């Protein structure tokens, strides 16, 4: 009986440690710029202000993306639930909700200085 109790306590401790480690790793800040690159967004888009280039000659530069919308619009657009300039986004974002949030937060920081 004593051995069974110790075994249960041992297994419970291991499960608790794994749960703690997993929750800690999930709390790490995600890098929107890296998500942009990892999802190959730079196939169609460039961000000249961040020195991110595209192989496409007619790539849309997102250097000032943060000045043209809000988080909800960007999320909806990337999930193909909304249009921008009467156009759908070409591909639906396939990452997690946290990755989408990080990507959109990063895009909102992209604002070039106004000229004039």
């Amino acid at each position: 009986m004593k051995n069974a109790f110790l075994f249960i306590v041992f297994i419970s401790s291991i499960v608790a440690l794994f749960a703690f480690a997993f929750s800690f790793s999930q709390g790490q800040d995600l890098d929107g710029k890296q998500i942009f690159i990892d999802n190959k967004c730079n196939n169609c888009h460039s961000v000249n202000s961040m020195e991110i280039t595209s192989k496409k000659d007619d790539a849309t530069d997102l250097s000032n993306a943060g000045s043209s919308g809000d988080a909800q619009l960007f999320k909806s657009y990337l999930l193909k639930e909304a249009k921008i300039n009467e156009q759908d986004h070409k591909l639906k974002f396939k990452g997690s909700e946290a990755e989408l949030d990080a990507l959109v937060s990063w895009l909102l920081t992209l604002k070039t200085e106004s000229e004039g």
Side-chain angles (χ1 to χ4, degrees), residues 50-71:
M50 303 292 282
E51 299 180 359
I52 299 173
T53 58
S54 174
K55 294 178 183 176
K56 284 180 67 173
D57 292 334
D58 62 342
T60 304
D61 181 20
L62 299 178
S63 293
N64 200 31
S67 298
S68 61
D70 62 19

Side-chain angles (χ1 to χ4, degrees), residues 36 38-45 56 74-82 87-95 100 103:
F36 182 88
D38 290 348
N39 282 278
K40 298 179 176 43
C41 300
N42 59 324
N43 283 346
C44 296
H45 303 289
K56 284 180 67 173
F74 285 174
K75 286 180 186 180
S76 296
Y77 181 65
L78 292 171
L79 294 172
K80 296 184 68 99
E81 297 169 351
Q87 294 183 339
D88 289 315
H89 193 259
K90 185 175 180 179
L91 300 172
K92 183 176 180 180
F93 183 76
K94 293 184 172 106
L100 179 61
L103 175 60

